[in-house]
Structures are given as C-alpha cells and as structure tokens.
Amino acid sequence: MQPNRRQWLQQIGLGTLALGLSSLESFAAPANNEGKSRSLAPSDVIRLSSNENPYGPSPMARSAMIENMMKSNRYNWDITSELMKAIADKNNLPGENILVTAGSTEILNLLAVYYSMQKGNFVIADPSFTNWTNIAVQQGLTKIAVPLDENKRNDLDAMQSKITGETRFVYICNPNNPTATIVDATKLRDFIREAAKKTMVVVDEAYLEFTEEPSVCDMVKDIKNLIVIRTFSKIYGMAGARVGYAMAHPDTIDALLKLKVWPNGDISVMSRVGAMAALKDKDFFNDCNIKNNAARAYTVSQLQSKGLHCIPSYTNFIYFSLKEYEHDFFDVLKINKIQGTGIYEQEGKWTRITVGTMEEMQRFISVI
C-alpha cells in the first residue's frame, strides 16, 4: 500500500483537522488510585508508586534534550518524521503504521472517545490498568470486567467469551498492571486472531521491554482490528517527557488522527529528540534491566521471608499480599516517607510496589 499523503502530512503536523466533540472534558481523566495526580516528591521521599524508572532518562537522551533546548522556540515539524521513522525501524514496520502521542495514555483517551461514538461495551481484565476507562464509561460504553485467572494473569478464554456484537474493543495489558504477570505469547496471538474477527483488540505493551517476550506488533500489518501501544515512560525513564506511540493498520491510524487538532504537535522538541536518543542508548537500556532484575529479586525474596506472598513479576513492580502482615502497611510507609499505592483486591489484600534502586528497596524492606 502506498503511504497516504494526507495521513503523512497530518502525522507530521501539517494537516489540521477540526472535530466537533461535545466537550473537551472528555479528555480529562478523573482521579483514582492508579491515575491520581501526584506532585513531585521531596528529595527525601522514596517514590515507589508510579512504576517510574529511577535511573532515567539515559545519558544520551539527556544530552540530546539539553543540546536542543534552544530549538524550543520553533515548531517541531522537521523532527516529527524522524521520530516516527526511528520507532518504525525499531519495530520493523512502515511509518504509516505509527502514531506518536504525548504518552501512551493519550492513545487510550483517543480510543475511548473514538469507540464510544457508537454505543456498546468494552472488555477488560480486573484488576488491570484502568485509570483511562472512566472516560469510556462517561462517553456511554459499558465496562465488562473479567476476573484474572488463579495466577493473576489475563484470563484470555474468559475474556473471549465476553465479546459480543456490542463489544467495541477488548483491552489486554501485557504484562498486566498491577499484577506484573504475562500471558503465554502463543496463546495471546491465537486470542488476537480470533477476537479481531469480532472487535478491535488493544494490547498495551508498556512493560514488555522489561521482559524477553516477543511483541505482537508484527501482526498489525495483517490484522486491521489490532492496536499495540508502547511508551517511553518506563524502561526509557522518560515519564515526565510524555512520549508514547501506537502501532496499527494505516486505516486505524488515520481514524485516530481525526480526533486530534494538530496530530503529533503535542510533543515538545526536547521530548522528541530525547526519545530518539533513548532508542539508540542500548547500554542504558540493558543496564536498567540488569539493575531492575537484581533489585526485584532481592525485594521478592525479602518479602517472602516475611511471609508475604508475591506473584512472579515480569516488570519493574511487584504484586504481593498483605493478608499476613501484622502492621498498618500504609501507615508504616507514610511514617518512613515512602510512597506506595493502595489495595487493588480486598480478598487477600493485594498491593503493588514499584522496584526502585537497590538502596531504595533495601530501605523499604528495612522499615516494613
């Protein structure tokens, strides 16, 4: 397929489309346990709440952002296509399969608005990453929450059974947040092939780069009803820079572009050049994974030695049960200036903690 010129111009910010949405409030995510706004923590607070990378941005990304700071007085048309090409090359896809946004949550916002234009439902695991789902519900979609399996993984068979003619999309966070679990790659591909015959499948791979599991992004070339989401907020350590992207069929990309007044214009010059540099910094990427694996293994072993059951983690966070914990866990964290999360499942009192540096995790273990 030849690239659509109009689409390409839209992607690099030269095409401006207006959309008559009823209210821009649709894009404002309400506060909840997972998505509430948090001010930057004081320097003496250990932040183990948002699954951020404590080591980033990478040295190459920092240098690129500093060197290009003075270019912030100009619009970023000339480097927009460069970032898209870098992402496309990384994932072995044509540029027409890529949509770059200000963080992956913006893609989820766009999907919620787009697929709620027609009444119906969406299917999602419970618990999973849900801070964006209130937008879909507010726009009129019904949320179909499917319990995880006994191993705290997405129950693909159960989710498949919930798809009906009214289902607008099904969302799979893999690895899953907050449980840190991953589904079998072959089973996921089989699920996508079957589910995509009936509805749009959204696979959120925000944490996949903490694993050695293969992406399903190669499937977007042949399956129109598939969107794969990635972010620079996690392994690349650029959560505050706000860079994310979607990989999908060109027709799907084109449909989502129509929801944006200035496609790809919402990412700053510094964020763009930082993201491009981050993709090149292989040493930093590998070093982060090594450090994360070591700190995670230490923390899991220590939690288990205290009688706290942990779910095997494939990410930079750990899901564990406070059922046998004898103290007020969250009060202990507060007193010791450590930011945590909350209870995701009352039965078993399951909570999540981000994996920080080894020193931070040693401090965490020492106080609990």
Side-chain angles (χ1 to χ4, degrees):
M1 176 185 295
Q2 290 297 318
N4 183 302
R5 175 175 171 78
R6 177 172 63 86
Q7 181 191 68
W8 180 255
L9 291 175
Q10 290 168 359
Q11 286 262 46
I12 63 173
L14 297 178
T16 303
L17 299 177
L19 179 69
L21 293 177
S22 59
S23 172
L24 289 179
E25 292 177 356
S26 303
F27 293 94
N32 59 24
N33 182 58
E34 180 69 22
K36 63 184 178 182
S37 297
R38 296 185 178 96
S39 58
L40 290 176
S43 58
D44 62 340
V45 171
I46 297 177
R47 192 150 128 171
L48 304 179
S49 56
S50 301
N51 303 340
E52 298 153 323
N53 183 339
Y55 311 108
S58 79
M60 289 177 64
R62 295 176 206 175
S63 296
M65 289 192 280
I66 292 171
E67 290 171 5
N68 286 274
M69 185 182 300
M70 293 306 296
K71 294 181 181 179
S72 293
N73 64 316
R74 303 293 183 187
Y75 293 114
N76 54 30
W77 295 320
D78 56 334
I79 59 174
T80 297
S81 58
E82 294 179 33
L83 176 57
M84 289 175 60
K85 184 179 186 306
I87 292 172
D89 290 346
K90 166 184 166 55
N91 294 286
N92 297 312
L93 292 170
E96 63 180 1
N97 290 111
I98 308 297
L99 170 63
V100 181
T101 62
S104 60
T105 49
E106 185 192 359
I107 298 168
L108 294 169
N109 288 349
L110 292 174
L111 291 173
V113 173
Y114 182 78
Y115 287 104
S116 63
M117 291 180 181
Q118 184 178 1
K119 288 187 179 293
N121 64 64
F122 65 98
V123 177
I124 186 171
D126 180 32
S128 190
F129 181 59
T130 59
N131 77 326
W132 58 276
T133 59
N134 282 346
I135 295 176
V137 173
Q138 289 169 5
Q139 293 294 314
L141 291 181
T142 299
K143 178 180 175 180
I144 306 298
V146 180
L148 300 172
D149 68 15
E150 59 183 6
N151 296 310
K152 303 296 183 185
R153 297 174 302 196
N154 285 280
D155 191 333
L156 298 182
D157 290 338
M159 297 179 80
Q160 189 81 252
S161 71
K162 295 296 182 180
I163 298 173
T164 70
E166 298 296 313
T167 302
R168 303 298 163 233
F169 63 91
V170 56
Y171 173 82
I172 305 288
C173 187
N174 190 54
N176 189 44
N177 179 11
T179 61
T181 54
I182 197 163
V183 296
D184 178 80
T186 299
K187 290 182 179 179
L188 178 58
R189 286 175 174 267
D190 290 342
F191 172 89
I192 291 170
R193 292 187 188 97
E194 186 62 29
K197 297 174 183 177
K198 298 170 282 189
T199 191
M200 179 62 70
V201 180
V202 181
V203 180
D204 190 338
E205 295 184 341
Y207 300 96
L208 191 72
E209 287 158 314
F210 287 101
T211 79
E212 295 182 356
E213 294 293 307
S215 170
V216 297
C217 67
D218 60 294
M219 300 179 75
V220 304
K221 291 182 286 188
D222 301 314
I223 298 179
K224 190 172 182 178
N225 278 348
L226 174 63
I227 300 173
V228 181
I229 300 173
R230 292 272 191 84
T231 182
F232 282 82
S233 296
K234 306 306 175 183
I235 189 68
Y236 294 106
M238 297 181 64
R242 309 309 300 135
V243 184
Y245 61 95
M247 295 171 281
H249 188 276
D251 291 349
T252 302
I253 296 294
D254 194 41
L256 294 177
L257 285 173
K258 294 176 182 177
L259 294 178
K260 296 171 66 65
V261 174
W262 183 9
N264 287 304
D266 48 4
I267 305 175
S268 72
V269 169
M270 288 189 290
S271 292
R272 288 184 183 279
V273 297
M276 286 189 289
L279 291 175
K280 299 175 182 178
D281 202 335
K282 304 298 184 184
D283 289 341
F284 175 80
F285 180 95
N286 294 332
D287 188 53
C288 284
N289 263 317
I290 291 170
K291 290 178 178 177
N292 177 74
N293 292 346
R296 184 180 65 199
Y298 162 79
T299 307
V300 168
S301 67
Q302 292 298 309
L303 289 172
Q304 290 179 332
S305 72
K306 296 177 182 290
L308 305 181
H309 178 49
C310 300
I311 299 298
S313 172
Y314 291 84
T315 64
N316 65 335
F317 54 90
I318 301 163
Y319 198 60
F320 63 100
S321 172
L322 294 172
K323 184 178 181 179
E324 305 300 327
Y325 192 68
E326 298 178 352
H327 308 289
D328 186 327
F329 177 78
F330 301 105
D331 192 45
V332 170
L333 294 189
K334 182 177 180 181
I335 291 171
N336 288 278
K337 296 184 178 181
I338 298 175
Q339 287 185 354
T341 54
I343 296 296
Y344 291 88
E345 295 179 89
Q346 286 297 329
E347 184 177 351
K349 295 184 178 179
W350 292 92
T351 190
R352 186 196 75 192
I353 201 76
T354 298
V355 177
T357 65
M358 181 63 81
E359 292 75 19
E360 289 173 337
M361 303 320 291
Q362 289 172 339
R363 170 65 177 163
F364 165 69
I365 290 297
S366 71
V367 303
I368 66 167

